[in-house]
Amino acid sequence: MKSRQGITNLQVTAIVSLSILGIAVLFIPSSASEAAGIDGVLATLFGGIVVLVLTFTAILLSCQYPNHTIIEYSQIVFGRLLGKLYGFYIVLYAIATTATVLRGFADAMKVLLLPKTPLEVIMITMMLTVAYQVQGGISTIARINELFLPPIIGLILGLLLLNVRDVEMFRYRALLSNGFGPILMSLAGISTGYLGFEIVTFLTPFVADKRKLLKYGMAGTGITIIIYTLLVFIELGIYGDKTIADMVYPTVHLARRILWVESFIERFDIFFLTFWILAAFTTITSYMYMAALSVVRIIGLRNYKPFVFILSPVVYMIAIIPQNSVQFTVLLKIISYAGLAIGFSTVPMLIISKIKKARINND
Amino acid sequence: MKVIRRKNPNNRKTIEERQSPKPKSEDRVSIPLSKDLKENLGKFKAFLEESADAVFREFKLGVTGIPCALVYIDGLTDKNVIHEAILKPMMYEVSELNQDRSLSLDHDLVFDFVKEHAVTVADIKEVECLDKAMLFVMSGEAVLLIDGFDKVLVISTRGWPARGVNNPEDEEVIRGPKEGFTETLRVNTALIRRKCKDPNMVIKTITLGRRSKTDVAYVYIKGITREELVKEVEERLNKIDIDQVIDSGQLEQLIQDNNMTPFPQVQATERPDKTVAGLLEGRVAILVDNSPYALIVPATFNQFFQSPEDYNERWILSSFIRLLRWISSFVAVFTPAIYIAILTYHPSLIPTKLALSISASRSGVPFPSLIEALLMESTLELLRESGARLPKAIGQTIGIVGGLIIGDAAVRAGITSPITVVIVAITAIASFVIPTYSTAIGLRTMRFPLMILAGFLGLYGVVIGFILLNIHMASIKSFGVEFMTPQSPIIIHDLRDFVIRAPYMAMKRRPVETDPIDMIRMDMD
């Protein structure tokens, strides 16, 4: 038997893109148009490119320390104490993000699919499924991501394809009418929609073939850039920026427009949502894995599996904190910028580690 | 001897106590054979005297008068061989030989003389140990004892009433060979040899079962199958320490990777052609004496959806049928759950007219759709199980009574709605499309937890069930190969023999999932 230890490169692509494609799929068009109006399309594209660059630095950095996760090599880069603090920050971020995504998922489920089911039931069942998945190990997570990527991508592309004829190009005449100013201003906000790519800093020790990691990891981000940009383009083309900005889940509206084959399926949005659960699940799984792994690595243990069952209630407790969607939005914003900070921190880390390596080489 | 481990120390004590006075039959007599015929025969008799089917035939070798004895089990041996090829030449023709060719019949050389001139059977072995000789007797060989020698002659006389080579009933094909394995190991290995005359094909045999001493053969082709895989199979087989190996179905569970799963991780087949195809893909086949099923390892989920006739039909048709099988496997697992979810939580998902007619037909039904569907699905399983065990003639009656009368009457009585009956029937038919019985039943069982999830959480519950099922299946391995190959991990090369059965010109190489040594299957344009 050829030893198939670790995860394959295609699996890395799947993990990265499905970690990004999560709850943000539902509302990225409205946040884009809110931030940049009709220029939201370009903002989404450029925001994606910023994240692509960050993915690039994150993978380069991780490849400097192929046998460590970010928790361990941050202690090499920053020194022990600062590194521990940084690691602690990541732990908090990962736990909080798991909770936030879980809450966002449950909110959407309750509003769109199961109005009479208690929020707690949705969250607990999801949390249990995620815990079962995460304690199965990274190879199972990788395989599940690989299995779910084709249907999720296929469904979103199908949704876009069925709506593409309704795009009214006249709306794009106003493109860039205010110059690049609004785009640049909204770049940071849009980039948060691409959060999830941080998972690459946790994958390197488990990847079988590390040489191609850069290409495949960036492909993962690339897929989501294409999907998000197309999604925003079609949404803005159909509804216009003013309408979109007021919608809570514009992507679901897009799905609701579809009346397929003389209304054989009357509510395509429900069909879409059921598949979207898979995307939300993989995102929560990635963050949960990140949280469990970083907690264990920061303590210095190897086996993270028992911690999944300690973390799950904690995540649940955080997830039920927001009382309403306003509080949730605030929480999401805070978390997003905290995540973006981690993404940007890879740049100085890469520089420091390069300098350190160069110094060692000179000596 | 290994002691069974139990958590309660008292239990363990009892077990040890019970095991301590082992009346090991080997202890009653010394294992090495002596030169005295009476003593040797006594050793055999010590074991077998109480058994009615053991035959001890004492006779004298021709004119020499040297005492001999033949030991065999009546019923396992071919009487003709014993009469014509052993007793007749030894008792009668030996004297003629002696005169004609003036061969000396010295007492010291008589053993070799018998072996070389008298016994006219091809397969003969010399054995110097009682244990081994005993095993041969029990497997149907005749053991010849000659006075003055501390060894015996084992003469192949196996022959018992056996089922002939029949149609493989569980795996019928429309196009393809119609012969299936039987209960006799030798016949089965011969069926495999007939399909592939490659001298590199190795058939190794080991004996398993502390008491049953069942012959287990594992077959592979040197130069295709990886050594590591063969070693892994050997290791797992050698680990087995059990009193009886009943069937390959039991052996399968003793060597499989994961016990906590309803899915088989070993492919069991009645068909020699399937077995040989597996061997040529770099797999190992395991045959168990007394079992008409061969085991092929490693097995992937994909394999259970392949049928030999896919390769005998044109690829377009085969691919269409494969697609049908995959869709119907999905239908068999998820339809009732989706039906319940839509009816209970999302009636807006279906067209208004259909929703109206469904609700009209369900108006008289007192149960929620979950209970209704569970009831009908359970009835279906009940019918299937009762039909499976009954003689064919009564089985048909069950089919008519169950399917037609109960179904119709249940609708009229208002227990269930016609639409539920339709859904249940579709599910049943879809589940029978899957070519492998054990996979079909594994998938079918998954319906029930999914239905309950759907009843409580709607489509969200169905998706949660789908995710859990996927996680479970993605975590299984079979002899080092991931169960969901080639979907996950994606092996692009192997996708040619997945939902689509590519034309032969596109399948010039063997599948890489088993990592065969010789990759080239076809070398032509």
Side-chain angles (χ1 to χ4, degrees):
Chain A
M1 223 67 353
K2 201 187 286 174
S3 75
R4 278 201 283 262
Q5 291 289 315
I7 54 182
T8 66
N9 284 312
L10 267 175
Q11 287 173 342
V12 172
T13 309
I15 293 176
V16 171
S17 58
L18 285 187
S19 300
I20 299 174
L21 287 179
I23 55 167
V25 176
L26 290 192
F27 50 72
I28 188 97
S30 59
S31 37
S33 70
E34 209 173 314
I38 200 75
D39 290 334
V41 183
L42 293 174
T44 315
L45 184 63
F46 292 144
I49 289 167
V50 169
V51 172
L52 196 65
V53 172
L54 290 183
T55 318
F56 179 74
T57 56
I59 296 174
L60 270 192
L61 177 65
S62 302
C63 287
Q64 301 268 314
Y65 308 96
N67 296 322
H68 296 299
T69 65
I70 193 163
I71 301 294
E72 284 123 0
Y73 64 66
S74 67
Q75 294 179 26
I76 303 172
V77 175
F78 288 141
R80 209 169 149 66
L81 185 69
L82 264 177
K84 280 258 182 202
L85 274 175
Y86 181 79
F88 197 63
Y89 173 66
I90 288 185
V91 170
L92 286 182
Y93 163 71
I95 293 174
T97 313
T98 318
T100 315
V101 179
L102 181 67
R103 177 56 185 264
F105 163 77
D107 277 343
M109 269 293 112
K110 189 166 169 58
V111 172
L112 300 166
L113 204 60
L114 297 165
K116 283 176 194 161
T117 310
L119 206 60
E120 290 79 7
V121 173
I122 299 174
M123 283 202 277
I124 289 170
T125 44
M126 194 57 169
M127 203 61 238
L128 287 175
T129 316
V130 167
Y132 175 56
Q133 159 79 306
V134 173
Q135 63 87 35
I138 182 69
S139 48
T140 315
I141 296 176
R143 276 179 234 147
I144 284 296
N145 277 284
E146 198 175 22
L147 273 175
F148 288 173
L149 185 69
I152 292 171
I153 301 284
L155 184 85
I156 297 178
L157 288 182
L159 174 70
L160 298 179
L161 209 66
L162 287 172
N163 277 301
V164 78
R165 57 178 178 176
D166 295 340
V167 173
E168 288 161 25
M169 286 309 287
F170 74 85
R171 295 189 196 278
Y172 286 104
R173 284 187 199 146
L175 209 61
L176 287 178
S177 53
N178 296 325
F180 282 95
I183 296 177
L184 290 175
M185 293 298 285
S186 62
L187 224 47
I190 289 294
S191 306
T192 59
Y194 289 96
L195 277 174
F197 71 93
E198 319 88 274
I199 189 78
V200 287
T201 56
F202 285 86
L203 292 180
T204 17
F206 313 105
V207 176
D209 183 10
K210 295 187 175 71
R211 285 167 301 160
K212 290 180 189 158
L213 183 64
L214 193 64
K215 206 166 83 186
Y216 282 88
M218 284 172 71
T221 313
I223 290 172
T224 56
I225 296 176
I226 295 168
I227 285 180
Y228 277 180
T229 311
L230 281 177
L231 182 64
V232 175
F233 172 77
I234 285 171
E235 290 264 9
L236 286 177
I238 291 173
Y239 291 110
D241 53 325
K242 293 288 181 297
T243 327
I244 287 282
D246 291 338
M247 290 179 178
V248 186
Y249 301 117
T251 313
V252 179
H253 284 272
L254 202 62
R256 208 167 279 169
R257 295 183 78 252
I258 297 170
L259 281 178
W260 207 24
V261 197
E262 292 295 311
S263 77
F264 172 66
I265 291 177
E266 289 210 339
R267 296 277 304 271
F268 192 81
D269 55 330
I270 291 179
F271 190 68
F272 170 77
L273 274 168
T274 50
F275 273 83
W276 171 77
I277 297 170
L278 303 181
F281 166 75
T282 49
T283 306
I284 301 171
T285 310
S286 290
Y287 278 110
M288 188 68 188
Y289 174 71
M290 228 194 272
L293 192 69
S294 49
V295 165
V296 168
R297 292 285 168 109
I298 215 164
I299 301 170
L301 299 173
R302 299 301 297 178
N303 186 11
Y304 69 86
K305 284 168 191 174
F307 279 84
V308 177
F309 299 103
I310 302 169
L311 281 179
S312 302
V314 176
V315 168
Y316 173 71
M317 295 304 235
I318 299 173
I320 51 172
I321 290 174
Q323 296 296 317
N324 47 47
S325 68
V326 179
Q327 285 181 12
F328 170 73
T329 316
V330 173
L331 183 66
L332 186 66
K333 266 222 169 88
I334 297 169
I335 292 297
S336 302
Y337 284 107
L340 211 57
I342 292 174
F344 276 107
S345 72
T346 56
V347 181
M349 278 171 92
L350 182 66
I351 295 166
I352 296 170
S353 74
K354 284 276 182 195
I355 292 169
K356 277 196 175 172
K357 287 230 163 156
R359 219 180 268 165
I360 291 165
N361 285 347
N362 284 346
D363 295 341
Chain B
M1 188 164 289
K2 238 166 49 185
V3 177
I4 310 154
R5 267 193 217 107
R6 291 283 157 87
K7 279 196 178 141
N8 188 346
N10 288 335
N11 278 350
R12 188 173 177 171
K13 217 172 158 189
T14 329
I15 290 166
E16 270 170 13
E17 265 169 25
R18 245 182 243 166
Q19 286 210 337
S20 56
K22 263 176 296 185
K24 261 172 87 178
S25 35
E26 284 89 341
D27 295 341
R28 280 184 280 167
V29 282
S30 65
I31 304 292
L33 294 161
S34 80
K35 291 206 170 191
D36 183 33
L37 176 75
K38 280 271 174 292
E39 199 185 323
N40 281 348
L41 200 58
K43 285 174 185 173
F44 279 98
K45 279 185 175 169
F47 282 109
L48 295 173
E49 211 166 24
E50 289 155 25
S51 308
D53 58 347
V55 177
F56 304 92
R57 172 74 159 91
E58 289 175 68
F59 60 95
K60 298 256 159 41
L61 179 65
V63 285
T64 61
I66 300 168
C68 301
L70 199 64
V71 181
Y72 64 89
I73 301 283
D74 192 22
L76 292 181
T77 44
D78 187 348
K79 280 266 174 61
N80 260 337
V81 177
I82 291 182
H83 295 161
E84 297 294 323
I86 305 174
L87 290 178
K88 193 174 169 195
M90 284 186 73
M91 293 166 77
Y92 172 62
E93 288 165 2
V94 156
S95 320
E96 288 173 21
L97 271 173
N98 196 18
Q99 286 161 9
D100 293 356
R101 303 194 196 159
S102 63
L103 287 164
S104 69
L105 260 182
D106 288 345
H107 200 262
D108 312 346
L109 298 173
V110 77
F111 193 86
D112 289 332
F113 175 82
V114 167
K115 190 176 156 193
E116 282 159 18
H117 298 285
V119 177
T120 52
V121 174
D123 190 2
I124 274 186
K125 287 180 209 77
E126 276 180 39
V127 171
E128 294 171 1
C129 167
L130 181 76
D131 260 4
K132 269 191 190 169
M134 206 65 205
L135 183 56
F136 281 119
V137 172
M138 300 316 290
S139 0
E141 316 279 40
V143 167
L144 180 66
L145 300 94
I146 301 172
D147 189 40
F149 293 91
D150 56 356
K151 52 188 177 183
V152 295
L153 213 52
V154 173
I155 305 160
S156 172
T157 54
R158 292 187 194 204
W160 50 80
R163 194 168 64 96
V165 176
N166 275 345
N167 233 357
E169 275 180 18
D170 293 350
E171 293 169 82
E172 295 267 11
V173 293
I174 293 162
R175 180 135 184 214
K178 311 270 188 204
E179 55 184 13
F181 286 128
T182 69
E183 279 78 6
T184 317
L185 182 66
R186 234 345 120 239
V187 175
N188 295 349
T189 54
L191 285 172
I192 292 178
R193 281 265 190 231
R194 288 246 304 105
K195 295 258 179 320
C196 178
K197 290 169 185 123
D198 188 349
N200 287 318
M201 187 198 283
V202 183
I203 303 182
K204 284 190 184 169
T205 315
I206 55 170
T207 311
L208 287 182
R210 235 181 285 144
R211 287 183 190 278
S212 73
K213 310 275 186 208
T214 312
D215 286 331
V216 174
Y218 52 99
V219 190
Y220 61 95
I221 299 178
K222 255 189 204 166
I224 296 182
T225 313
R226 282 272 161 204
E227 284 296 317
E228 292 90 328
L229 177 61
V230 178
K231 265 202 199 104
E232 179 74 34
V233 171
E234 263 167 21
E235 240 168 61
R236 290 194 193 184
L237 287 177
N238 284 326
K239 240 187 241 166
I240 293 172
D241 183 15
I242 194 166
D243 56 350
Q244 185 199 11
V245 176
I246 310 165
D247 188 90
S248 59
Q250 179 207 28
L251 192 77
E252 176 184 336
Q253 293 168 55
L254 296 175
I255 60 170
Q256 69 188 3
D257 293 63
N258 189 345
N259 277 319
M260 303 298 284
T261 171
F263 299 108
Q265 303 132 62
V266 170
Q267 189 176 28
T269 179
E270 257 188 306
R271 303 187 59 86
D273 54 339
K274 213 169 176 175
T275 314
V276 172
L279 293 177
L280 287 168
E281 286 180 351
R283 299 177 207 276
V284 177
I286 303 166
L287 299 157
V288 180
D289 198 14
N290 295 321
S291 171
Y293 285 91
L295 307 175
I296 305 173
V297 293
T300 58
F301 192 53
N302 174 23
Q303 244 170 288
F304 297 122
F305 287 82
Q306 298 172 349
S307 167
E309 60 190 342
D310 297 351
Y311 303 92
N312 300 336
E313 248 341 310
R314 263 149 292 279
W315 70 276
I316 299 175
L317 310 175
S318 305
S319 304
F320 172 69
I321 291 168
R322 283 259 178 99
L323 186 67
L324 201 71
R325 281 188 206 134
W326 281 98
I327 292 172
S328 62
S329 78
F330 188 85
V331 168
V333 180
F334 290 102
T335 318
I338 291 175
Y339 168 71
I340 292 169
I342 288 179
L343 230 56
T344 320
Y345 291 88
H346 324 282
S348 55
L349 195 58
I350 40 177
T352 320
K353 274 185 187 167
L354 183 60
L356 283 176
S357 76
I358 289 175
S359 69
S361 75
R362 288 197 75 252
S363 59
V365 180
F367 308 117
S369 58
L370 171 66
I371 303 293
E372 188 192 346
L374 275 177
L375 212 68
M376 288 315 285
E377 289 286 354
S378 315
T379 313
L380 176 84
E381 289 297 307
L382 212 68
L383 283 171
R384 191 194 52 75
E385 186 57 27
S386 64
R389 304 272 167 273
L390 283 174
K392 262 183 192 163
I394 310 175
Q396 282 177 358
T397 323
I398 285 283
I400 293 164
V401 171
L404 298 177
I405 302 180
I406 293 187
D408 189 46
V411 171
R412 278 160 197 260
I415 298 171
T416 179
S417 63
I419 186 86
T420 312
V421 176
V422 170
I423 294 284
V424 169
I426 287 174
T427 321
I429 293 167
S431 76
F432 294 128
V433 175
I434 304 162
T436 323
Y437 172 75
S438 46
T439 314
I441 197 162
L443 283 173
R444 232 179 17 232
T445 321
M446 292 296 103
R447 264 182 341 209
F448 290 95
L450 277 167
M451 277 155 72
I452 291 167
L453 272 172
F456 286 107
L457 290 167
L459 275 178
Y460 169 64
V462 179
V463 176
I464 289 286
F466 175 75
I467 292 173
L468 287 173
L469 198 60
N470 270 290
I471 297 172
H472 173 64
M473 281 166 64
S475 67
I476 305 176
K477 277 190 173 193
S478 166
F479 285 80
V481 176
E482 287 85 355
F483 193 54
M484 293 298 269
T485 335
Q487 283 163 285
S488 133
I490 293 175
I491 300 177
I492 290 162
H493 178 268
D494 289 3
L495 289 176
R496 287 155 213 226
D497 198 4
F498 183 44
V499 178
I500 286 174
R501 201 279 279 170
Y504 279 110
M505 286 301 159
M507 295 203 294
K508 286 186 180 168
R509 281 156 190 279
R510 300 180 209 283
V512 293
E513 62 183 31
T514 46
D515 194 22
I517 299 168
D518 173 22
M519 276 300 291
I520 293 150
R521 178 192 265 157
M522 211 162 95
D523 198 7
M524 57 185 276
D525 297 319

